[in-house]
């Protein structure tokens, strides 16, 4: 893993490639480097480092070279909508009734961890998925724990945390749910947390800055965007209700050294411009927080 970048700002910002899907990956990486980003949240998808491509090793080597040339750090994201099933969004999930289908998702996470090791990534992100119809909670949690176990073994071997994200509408939707999973699994060291600041605004009882401090011991990856209370819609920074200076101050205060990645997956049509304005916004808000 490359050392953290050195600059006068304590936080390290990235932009998610799921918000740059109209660009080739090389072009997206060059754009982010030119804008001054520290890194990239790289979603494994058919247009950006396809994890199912027959020439994946060669593509991964090329991406590693480009990241090094551009001085970009990376976190691997596994939230591509149709990478495993072209007809069902985020299917199959770790909760699928079919064990073979669940194993397909687990295998994707293991592949992502191998890619992450080759790229020197900080973490691999994942989420639980929604609870299938006619599935009781105990069964769903059991499936999640069992599905994650092989991936956590791979994470331990790779020395890269597997950072699960509380996602509105999913089985694992809140910070309390994350701690429930930790308990079921026996608190394995490779299990970390992806904290989406917008999701905190959307449904957590605490303000987002307090969520950051509460999550600090397990925090391995941060996603950031604006959002309104009770509405799960990723908004450009400044278009929602989040008070950003306290959030950025909290991240600085806890000594968070990973990437804070702008997450605007439905805004690729304006991706290059939003990448520019998002970094400007965050730097301004960070200065205010200090």
């Amino acid at each position: 893993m490359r050392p953290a970048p050195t600059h006068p700002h304590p936080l390290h910002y990235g932009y998610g490639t799921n918000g740059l899907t109209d660009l080739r990956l090389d072009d997206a990486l060059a754009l982010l480097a030119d804008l001054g980003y520290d890194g990239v949240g790289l979603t494994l998808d058919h247009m950006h480092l396809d994890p199912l491509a027959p020439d994946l090793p060669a593509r991964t080597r090329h991406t590693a070279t480009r990241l090094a040339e551009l001085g970009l750090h990376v976190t691997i994201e596994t939230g591509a909508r149709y990478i495993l099933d072209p007809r069902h969004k985020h299917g199959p999930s770790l909760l699928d009734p079919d064990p073979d289908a669940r194993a397909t998702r687990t295998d994707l996470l293991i592949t992502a961890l191998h890619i992450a090791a080759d790229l020197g990534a900080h973490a691999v992100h994942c989420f639980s998925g929604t609870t299938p119809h006619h599935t009781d909670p105990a069964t769903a949690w059991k499936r999640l724990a069992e599905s994650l176990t092989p991936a956590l073994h791979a994470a331990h071997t790779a020395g890269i945390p597997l950072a699960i994200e509380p996602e509105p509408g999913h089985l694992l939707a809140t910070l309390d749910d994350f701690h429930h999973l930790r308990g079921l699994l026996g608190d394995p060291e490779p299990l970390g947390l992806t904290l989406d600041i917008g999701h905190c605004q959307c449904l957590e009882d605490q303000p987002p800055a307090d969520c950051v401090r509460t999550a600090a011991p397990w925090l391995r990856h941060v996603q950031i965007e604006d959002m309104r209370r009770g509405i799960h819609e990723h908004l450009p920074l400044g278009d929602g209700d989040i008070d950003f200076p306290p959030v950025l101050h909290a991240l600085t205060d806890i000594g968070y050294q990973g990437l804070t990645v702008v997450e605007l997956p439905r805004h690729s049509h304006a991706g290059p411009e939003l990448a520019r304005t998002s970094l400007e916004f965050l730097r301004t808000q960070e200065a205010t927080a200090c």
Side-chain angles (χ1 to χ4, degrees):
M1 184 183 298
R2 291 185 288 276
T6 57
H7 50 53
H9 304 282
L11 298 179
H12 313 306
Y13 296 117
Y15 198 91
T17 59
N18 61 359
L20 296 169
T21 56
D22 292 329
L23 276 66
R24 298 177 183 87
L25 181 57
D26 278 3
D27 292 338
L29 297 179
L31 169 72
L32 298 181
D34 288 346
L35 289 173
Y37 279 93
D38 303 301
V40 58
L42 176 54
T43 295
L44 303 180
D45 208 346
H46 64 90
M47 81 295 288
H48 290 157
L49 197 56
D50 184 351
L52 305 182
D55 58 345
L56 177 60
R59 294 188 186 197
T60 303
R61 287 192 297 271
H62 173 80
T63 302
T65 298
R66 288 299 293 147
L67 289 167
E69 290 172 348
L70 295 168
L72 291 173
H73 295 252
V74 62
T75 300
I76 299 299
E77 307 257 3
T78 62
R81 294 183 180 95
Y82 296 99
I83 190 65
L84 295 178
D85 186 336
R87 301 189 181 193
H88 300 94
K89 181 182 176 182
H90 294 150
S93 78
L94 297 170
L95 309 177
D96 197 284
D98 182 349
D100 290 336
R102 295 198 299 273
T104 301
R105 178 62 63 173
T106 301
D107 288 346
L108 176 65
L109 297 183
I110 293 171
T111 297
L113 285 156
H114 292 158
I115 293 170
D118 289 341
L119 298 183
H122 295 284
V124 169
H125 147 278
C126 67
F127 46 58
S128 68
T130 59
T131 303
H133 293 303
H134 309 300
T135 301
D136 64 89
T139 298
W141 283 108
K142 182 174 183 291
R143 288 175 186 167
L144 179 60
E146 291 176 348
S147 297
L148 283 173
T149 296
L152 289 167
H153 287 317
H156 176 77
T157 300
I160 295 172
L162 185 65
I164 195 163
E165 176 189 6
E167 180 81 20
H170 283 209
L171 174 69
L172 197 155
T174 66
L175 288 171
D176 285 347
D177 292 335
F178 169 72
H179 293 301
H180 180 66
L181 176 65
R182 285 179 52 237
L184 289 176
L185 289 167
D187 197 18
E189 190 275 335
L191 179 66
L193 175 70
T194 293
L195 189 67
D196 187 301
I197 301 303
H199 296 172
C200 296
Q201 176 70 23
C202 179
L203 53 70
E204 292 286 354
D205 292 333
Q206 304 177 84
D210 291 350
C211 291
V212 169
R213 290 189 168 86
T214 299
W218 305 275
L219 192 58
R220 302 294 179 264
H221 181 43
V222 173
Q223 297 171 346
I224 196 164
E225 69 284 319
D226 220 334
M227 203 168 288
R228 298 188 178 96
R229 182 70 180 171
I231 303 172
H232 184 204
E233 180 184 3
H234 289 234
L235 300 172
L237 302 172
D239 286 3
D241 297 335
I242 296 177
D243 185 11
F244 284 95
V247 173
L248 301 178
H249 178 75
L251 287 168
T252 301
D253 196 44
I254 67 171
Y256 175 68
Q257 290 295 301
L259 289 174
T260 299
V261 173
V262 179
E263 183 83 358
L264 293 173
R266 297 186 179 181
H267 291 77
S268 282
H269 63 281
E273 177 62 11
L274 280 171
R276 181 186 68 80
T277 58
S278 294
L279 186 58
E280 292 175 353
F281 180 93
L282 289 168
R283 293 295 189 212
T284 299
Q285 297 291 304
E286 186 181 350
T288 302
C290 295

